[in-house]
Amino acid sequence: MLHATGERLVHWYNFDHRHSSIRYVSPAQRHDGDDHVILGSSRGVCPGAGRNPARWSGCTRDWTPIRRRHLNPERESVVTMASHATHKQPLAA
């Protein structure tokens, strides 16, 4: 059973914290598919940047939804390499 502080942290991380690697939506929003609606409505802000350029210092964010994201991409490549390697144990005589 998680301690109350741990439970709050897990809830915050999954539901409240917006992750930069998934276009600033929460993991729960991404998992439920709500990111497409959220990012689609944010994309509507971009045309407004041309009407009032003084409000914008540069380009707006990329609002296209992320298709697939890996938690530990370097681990996956290590596991793949290890699974393809031939590790043969010497037989006992």
Side-chain angles (χ1 to χ4, degrees), residues 14-15 17-19 21-39 64-70:
N14 288 320
F15 294 93
H17 179 60
R18 304 302 188 247
H19 294 258
S21 65
I22 54 173
R23 306 275 196 250
Y24 296 95
V25 296
S26 72
Q29 290 168 325
R30 171 71 176 95
H31 181 74
D32 293 341
D34 296 337
D35 60 328
H36 291 275
V37 173
I38 294 166
L39 295 171
T64 56
I66 299 293
R67 289 189 177 270
R68 188 171 176 191
R69 185 56 63 193
H70 297 278

Side-chain angles (χ1 to χ4, degrees), residues 5 8-9 13 22 27 35 54 60 68 70 78 81-82 88 90 93:
T5 303
R8 285 194 304 266
L9 175 66
Y13 185 85
I22 54 173
D35 60 328
T60 59
R68 188 171 176 191
H70 297 278
V78 170
M81 285 175 27
K88 294 185 179 182

